[in-house]
Amino acid sequence: MKVADIPSNEKYRLEALYRYEVLDTDMEKVFDELTELASEICDTPIALISLIDADRQWFKSKVGLSADETHRDIAFCAHAIHQEEVFEVSDTFLDERFKDNPLVTESPNIRSYAGAPLITPEGFAIGTLCAINDKPKKLNAHQIKALETLGKQVITQLQLRLKIKEVESANERKTDFLSNLSHELRTPLNAIVSFSKLMIDDKTFDLPDKQKQYLKHLDYSGRRLLSLVNSVLDLNKIESGNFTLEYTSIHAKTFFESIHSITKALAAKKSLVVNFSCETNENEYFQTDETRLSQIILNLVSNAIKFSPNEQTIDIKIKLSSANLIVAVRDEGIGIAKKDLHLIFEKFQQVRPNENQEGSGLGLMITKSLVEHMHGSIKLSSKLGQGSLFKVKLPVCTENTFQQTDIPSQTQHTFNPNAKILVVEDNLINQEVAKAMFHTIGISISVCGSGEDAIKKLKSDYFDLIFMDLHLPGIDGFETSKKITSMDPNQKVVALTADVFSKADSKLARNGIQAYISKPASESDLISVLNKYCPN
Ligand code: ADP
């Protein structure tokens, strides 16, 4: 028996093979179909995709053979990789190199062999697609050609796998990058939005009108920037497939009343009339992702407001039945031309942009994606100059139940004002924001600048509730929460973070974190959490 020589480019050949990360992976249908076809066309009981590793041949796909691999020294394919064309042995008994090979003398008793080398685009032969018979046999020209073509197809599939992996890993890097960017952008925006709101709401001092106006501009611009950052992050989440919904049971009437009051406040700025009708029962609850549902409705409503001239009318009709939620938003605004209707759900599309028109052109694309993620549909009818009607239909599961506790009104304090609260936050400006916000709702807090400090503090001190920033220097908020809740399993921890990517992460629950508030936290967010976790 002759052991095949090691190719002169062995080191680089192996590197090329390892780049595909295919050795010892599971069966894959696309490769199995190629071996089946090879066995069929060449009319042989055995067909294999054999990859030549340093000291073994490993089979990515096999027909008619049970072994997963054999030693390289006895591999026919180790010979075949020296060839550029199909390597054929038509009768092993007559070939000095193979007649006493254990694969010939014992099972599977190879009598004839034909292997097309698998050559990478860089020119390295990493293995073969081979057809094996237990009888002497010479393939005809068509069979040889077919084996060669199928061999090339194996490489094409391996290249495709590699490309998909590269794209996936680039996407992961992009998501990581955006997660960091999200944090970096949202942290300073948090300070801008929260401080301007605190100053606007502060009744203890009276600013001159001009400064009040400046503050309002600051507040407005900060919010716009924040909503833009959120849209870009949503888009990235949707496109990277990292999008999850969080369904909870919500009280329909409370939810839609809050949508109504937000709408009225938005519409008042343009003196628009809002006709709001909502068909739900008093005690109706339904399952939905509350944040995303309000994002969908408010996006349609704010477009209706944006594209309506002052003093026009906007109709919002909501109908919750046992199977569906239907939301219809109609305006008498500028409308959309027929030729543009198909464009407006595309990203970055603004149909009639003018210098006064704000927006990123992302809103409707995100709205449509959200609706589709929730297995619903969105329809639009519009006439240029006459107005538009957007209709969303979402399947829902309603529950008429009295067992549910009423959702506490978010602005009503029912929490214990003497509750001991710890905020773990490294950013000095955010510490100030937190102190000021808690002060406004009448609660004083302790602050720690790192996870390590918090753990130390908790060894000698007790807190009813901890608000935990997730991005911390040293041990992060997840790790800190895990340590804290393993010291005291009853300790309640709520994450407070600027990184919107953490929200859907089951990592929160795994690390003992009960709830999540995204920065900038609103007063009502804080009150709801305090009502829930620090009841009076
Ligand atoms: P934007 O952030 O620009 O509002 P959207 O994706 O929400 O982005 O909307 C895309 C475009 O669709 C808008 O720029 C506008 O041209 C058009 N559009 C959306 N809603 C309406 C409406 N109610 N009336 C007229 N045009 C609308």
Side-chain angles (χ1 to χ4, degrees):
M1 183 186 91
K2 178 168 180 347
V3 173
D5 294 334
I6 297 291
S8 56
N9 62 5
E10 178 68 359
K11 178 168 175 276
Y12 303 106
R13 193 192 69 78
L14 283 174
E15 277 174 13
L17 169 62
Y18 297 155
R19 253 197 307 281
Y20 289 110
E21 296 182 4
V22 62
L23 289 173
D24 300 309
T25 55
D26 290 337
M27 286 169 47
E28 283 172 69
K29 195 158 169 265
V30 300
F31 294 110
D32 291 345
E33 283 171 355
L34 293 175
T35 43
E36 271 160 29
L37 209 55
S39 144
E40 194 77 29
I41 294 173
C42 299
D43 193 20
T44 59
I46 299 177
L48 308 165
I49 292 173
S50 161
L51 300 170
I52 305 295
D53 195 0
D55 49 16
R56 61 171 177 161
Q57 66 171 337
W58 178 81
F59 307 128
K60 173 64 190 167
S61 171
K62 55 198 178 175
V63 169
L65 191 78
S66 55
D68 291 327
E69 59 183 44
T70 75
H71 199 278
R72 180 168 173 173
D73 286 354
I74 58 171
F76 282 59
C77 299
H79 293 265
I81 59 167
H82 285 272
Q83 311 280 124
E84 280 181 9
E85 284 157 8
V86 170
F87 173 68
E88 196 173 14
V89 181
S90 49
D91 188 344
T92 53
F93 285 6
L94 307 178
D95 192 314
E96 287 300 318
R97 293 169 296 179
F98 299 107
K99 67 180 185 191
D100 53 352
N101 183 310
L103 297 175
V104 173
T105 55
E106 295 158 35
S107 170
N109 302 105
I110 301 178
R111 269 308 285 279
S112 59
Y113 170 96
L118 303 177
I119 299 175
T120 68
E122 310 83 44
F124 299 109
I126 55 169
T128 72
L129 170 68
C130 60
I132 293 172
N133 211 334
D134 55 359
K135 297 182 190 68
K137 180 180 171 80
K138 198 162 169 39
L139 298 186
N140 65 34
H142 292 306
Q143 289 170 318
I144 299 235
K145 181 86 192 114
L147 198 62
E148 266 173 5
T149 307
L150 291 175
K152 285 188 186 134
Q153 195 54 40
V154 173
I155 288 289
T156 306
Q157 290 301 333
L158 284 172
Q159 286 290 113
L160 208 61
R161 255 172 123 262
L162 196 62
K163 273 276 161 289
I164 293 171
K165 282 207 165 132
E166 281 168 6
V167 169
E168 278 170 359
S169 107
N171 258 339
E172 261 168 42
R173 285 198 303 276
K174 189 172 123 200
T175 306
D176 285 351
F177 168 76
L178 279 168
S179 168
N180 275 333
L181 191 69
S182 143
H183 186 253
E184 292 304 313
L185 287 172
R186 286 166 61 94
T187 300
L189 278 174
N190 171 39
I192 295 171
V193 169
S194 307
F195 278 128
S196 49
K197 176 96 176 72
L198 281 167
M199 286 173 77
I200 290 167
D201 291 347
D202 195 336
K203 303 280 178 282
T204 56
F205 70 107
D206 202 16
L207 277 178
D209 283 351
K210 199 164 150 194
Q211 269 75 4
K212 264 193 209 149
Q213 203 51 42
Y214 288 167
L215 260 182
K216 283 192 179 147
H217 290 326
L218 194 63
D219 179 57
Y220 176 76
S221 307
R223 277 175 205 286
R224 275 205 33 71
L225 203 50
L226 198 59
S227 108
L228 207 60
V229 169
N230 287 341
S231 292
V232 174
L233 292 170
D234 275 347
L235 175 71
N236 181 62
K237 272 208 236 176
I238 290 166
E239 292 196 333
S240 68
N242 265 334
F243 193 81
T244 48
L245 292 164
E246 289 169 35
Y247 280 81
T248 53
S249 181
I250 67 168
H251 183 230
K253 205 155 178 281
T254 312
F255 175 77
F256 293 119
E257 267 170 11
S258 92
I259 294 279
H260 185 195
S261 66
I262 297 172
T263 305
K264 276 194 294 195
L266 293 173
K269 291 180 188 149
K270 287 179 82 175
S271 311
L272 296 164
V273 178
V274 179
N275 291 326
F276 188 87
S277 82
C278 178
E279 286 179 41
T280 66
N281 295 330
E282 192 58 35
N283 280 303
E284 200 152 21
Y285 287 78
F286 68 109
Q287 294 279 334
T288 189
D289 183 318
E290 187 176 358
T291 314
R292 296 312 191 173
L293 179 59
S294 59
Q295 190 177 348
I296 291 169
I297 304 176
L298 290 177
N299 188 37
L300 298 180
V301 167
S302 48
N303 275 346
I305 293 172
K306 187 158 62 174
F307 298 108
S308 290
N310 289 1
E311 291 164 20
Q312 294 277 27
T313 302
I314 290 171
D315 294 317
I316 301 172
K317 280 201 179 116
I318 290 168
K319 193 170 174 195
L320 183 62
S321 71
S322 57
N324 293 308
L325 168 67
I326 294 172
V327 179
V329 179
R330 182 197 300 276
D331 65 66
E332 299 171 343
I334 61 169
I336 301 160
K338 201 168 175 192
K339 67 172 178 46
D340 294 328
L341 285 176
H342 70 285
L343 289 175
I344 68 154
F345 292 106
E346 307 267 315
K347 66 183 164 189
F348 312 126
Q349 276 292 351
Q350 294 186 317
V351 172
R352 290 201 308 174
N354 60 49
E355 59 264 43
N356 297 326
Q357 184 183 320
E358 286 171 344
S360 56
L362 284 175
L364 284 177
M365 180 264 169
I366 292 171
T367 302
K368 185 163 185 267
S369 299
L370 291 175
V371 168
E372 284 167 359
H373 266 83
M374 294 165 111
H375 307 290
S377 60
I378 180 163
K379 289 212 173 88
L380 159 65
S381 47
S382 186
K383 277 216 172 100
L384 199 59
Q386 293 183 21
S388 311
L389 168 65
F390 286 85
K391 209 168 180 182
V392 171
K393 187 170 173 186
L394 294 171
V396 289
C397 172
T398 56
E399 311 152 14
N400 274 317
T401 167
F402 295 94
Q403 283 139 291
Q404 291 271 2
T405 49
D406 264 336
I407 293 173
S409 160
Q410 294 184 313
T411 45
Q412 199 184 321
H413 300 210
T414 56
F415 59 82
N416 170 9
N418 300 317
K420 285 193 69 183
I421 307 293
L422 176 66
V423 174
V424 187
E425 167 67 67
D426 61 308
N427 183 297
L428 293 180
I429 297 179
N430 283 348
Q431 288 184 1
E432 291 308 312
V433 173
K435 280 183 202 158
M437 289 196 77
F438 280 98
H439 178 75
T440 338
I441 56 174
I443 208 159
S444 64
I445 58 168
S446 304
V447 176
C448 278
S450 71
E452 288 86 346
D453 282 356
I455 293 168
K456 208 151 102 201
K457 198 168 181 65
L458 282 159
K459 289 196 172 135
S460 56
D461 222 341
Y462 167 82
F463 289 93
D464 296 292
L465 182 61
I466 300 174
F467 286 88
M468 179 72 63
D469 183 25
L470 293 178
H471 278 256
L472 291 170
I475 59 169
D476 67 12
F478 290 111
E479 191 68 29
T480 310
S481 306
K482 197 171 175 181
K483 290 214 160 101
I484 288 174
T485 47
S486 65
M487 278 161 32
D488 174 5
N490 293 325
Q491 178 65 62
K492 296 187 186 81
V493 182
V494 170
L496 185 62
T497 175
D499 176 3
V500 291
F501 279 79
S502 311
K503 186 173 181 182
D505 209 332
S506 57
K507 227 172 143 185
L508 291 175
R510 282 205 310 278
N511 289 287
I513 299 170
Q514 268 98 349
Y516 171 98
I517 303 185
S518 121
K519 287 184 203 167
S522 67
E523 214 172 273
S524 56
D525 286 340
L526 292 182
I527 294 172
S528 317
V529 167
L530 289 167
N531 286 349
K532 181 159 181 198
Y533 295 103
C534 308
N536 208 346

